[in-house]
Amino acid sequence: GKEARASLEFAEDSRETEWVHPSFAALLYQGKVKWDLMHPFPRQSDEDKKIGDAFLEKLEAYLEANYDADEVDRTGEIPDSVLKGLADLGCFAMKIPTKYNGLGLSQVNYNRALYLTGSYCGNLTALLSAHQSIGVPQPLLMFGTDEQKEKFLPRFRDGAISAFALTEANAGSDPRAMTTAATPTEDGSHYIINGEKLWCTNGTKANVIVVMAVTPPKIVRGKERKQITAFLVEMDTPGVEVLHRCRFMGLKALYNGVIRFTDV
Ligand SMILES: Cc1cc2nc3c(=O)[nH]c(=O)nc-3n(C[C@H](O)[C@H](O)[C@H](O)COP(=O)(O)OP(=O)(O)OC[C@H]3O[C@@H](n4cnc5c(N)ncnc54)[C@H](O)[C@@H]3O)c2cc1C
């Protein structure tokens, strides 16, 4: 009906308008095969490989000596001491530029590090990737202000963990259905967030998270459009509650939670 059409339009409007980096897989859906995107397969430069090799060597030695994946699976917990050791190696700041105290690894070296952790434990890989691919660091690097970058990014070198909260009980594949709202205060200086998020990976461990919330509508091409905005929320803000840790059949040590925001 009308709602389904509105959701479809919302999704279509959110698409990239110019594909600077076209996707081989996405083009397949349009019946186009662009072999030049796949062949010759891009090779990592020798210089970048050397940087990655050096980091991977340290990471592998650490995992080999300290990470017991069977124990993590049995207990459903990754020991804090292990997370601290990984933080000391810079595992929570892999792609963050060195000017913000990060390791400044390339995307390829980050991928290689996650292949490696994936060969040890899926829980750890989910934690590291939810934090760095969808949590705070990557969106902040792409869209944040300099002030936000300076405030938040160096904390990840010290082991701060982040998460991304989009999904709600009635908003999964259709994010437009979300009801968590950020309402501007009367003086316009702040937004107040109210709502509940589901299945937030790292949500039970995170220090700071990205929360997607509905903000006042805007007129786009003559039509009123629902707006969804990303907010950085410190988890120790009064009104933020982790209600429940969700458990999964496979990833037994995923730190995934239901989070409620009351006048945050
Ligand atoms: C392990 C795990 C970790 C997660 N981590 C996070 C996280 O960190 N942050 C976060 O925000 N969310 C997270 N999620 C939530 C995840 O993003 C949602 O589960 C996902 O968006 C799908 O939403 P849903 O579960 O409500 O399924 P639904 O949207 O209800 O979909 C159910 C089924 O219906 C199908 N379907 C839905 N709509 C259509 C349609 N229009 N046409 C045809 N088929 C359709 C789907 O393909 C699916 O098979 C996580 C989920 C899991 C399982």
Side-chain angles (χ1 to χ4, degrees), residues 7-252:
S7 288
L8 200 63
E9 278 179 16
F10 187 85
E12 290 298 330
D13 279 351
S14 308
R15 276 187 206 284
E16 238 176 289
T17 47
E18 279 172 53
W19 289 89
V20 183
H21 300 293
S23 151
F24 180 82
L27 286 169
L28 283 182
Y29 284 91
Q30 298 168 18
K32 293 176 194 152
V33 186
K34 289 226 6 144
W35 287 118
D36 58 321
L37 294 174
M38 290 290 271
H39 184 81
F41 192 77
R43 293 263 156 239
Q44 185 175 25
S45 72
D46 288 345
E47 197 188 331
D48 195 46
K49 183 169 181 311
K50 224 195 242 168
I51 295 169
D53 288 350
F55 178 64
L56 260 59
E57 199 178 306
K58 281 191 270 181
L59 179 57
E60 183 154 31
Y62 182 81
L63 292 171
E64 198 53 48
N66 299 285
Y67 203 97
D68 183 344
D70 290 335
E71 176 78 3
V72 168
D73 188 61
R74 260 194 309 275
T75 59
E77 300 291 342
I78 303 174
D80 282 344
S81 59
V82 171
L83 292 177
K84 165 86 174 62
L86 290 165
D88 290 345
L89 286 176
C91 290
F92 296 99
M94 286 194 251
K95 284 192 290 176
I96 293 174
T98 49
K99 79 167 182 175
Y100 298 114
N101 211 16
L103 298 188
L105 294 184
S106 64
Q107 179 68 34
V108 172
N109 283 333
Y110 168 70
N111 294 347
R112 291 176 63 203
L114 292 193
Y115 286 160
L116 178 65
T117 60
S119 71
Y120 279 79
C121 180
N123 297 290
L124 175 63
T125 309
L127 189 153
L128 292 171
S129 68
H131 159 59
Q132 288 167 94
S133 291
I134 59 173
V136 173
Q138 190 64 19
L140 195 56
L141 278 170
M142 293 172 77
F143 305 111
T145 63
D146 286 343
E147 195 188 341
Q148 288 170 329
K149 289 177 194 171
E150 268 152 36
K151 178 171 176 196
F152 290 100
L153 293 177
R155 284 168 53 182
F156 302 119
R157 184 64 182 87
D158 300 327
I161 296 176
S162 72
F164 171 74
L166 171 96
T167 305
E168 298 177 5
N170 292 311
S173 305
D174 178 10
R176 186 183 162 276
M178 80 170 55
T179 57
T180 294
T183 313
T185 52
E186 259 174 39
D187 66 359
S189 65
H190 288 81
Y191 283 91
I192 307 282
I193 300 178
N194 279 289
E196 201 171 291
K197 294 292 183 182
L198 174 66
W199 284 340
C200 178
T201 299
N202 296 353
T204 65
K205 273 246 181 255
N207 307 92
V208 57
I209 70 174
V210 176
V211 179
M212 305 302 282
V214 178
T215 43
K218 280 189 182 160
I219 305 292
V220 181
R221 289 193 296 273
K223 264 195 191 167
E224 188 178 281
R225 294 281 176 166
K226 186 166 185 169
Q227 297 293 306
I228 295 176
T229 304
F231 290 85
L232 283 163
V233 177
E234 300 271 11
M235 288 298 280
D236 62 2
T237 313
V240 178
E241 280 172 278
V242 176
L243 298 184
H244 174 73
R245 179 170 171 191
C246 307
R247 294 290 187 169
F248 296 84
M249 284 172 74
L251 295 171
K252 297 216 170 85

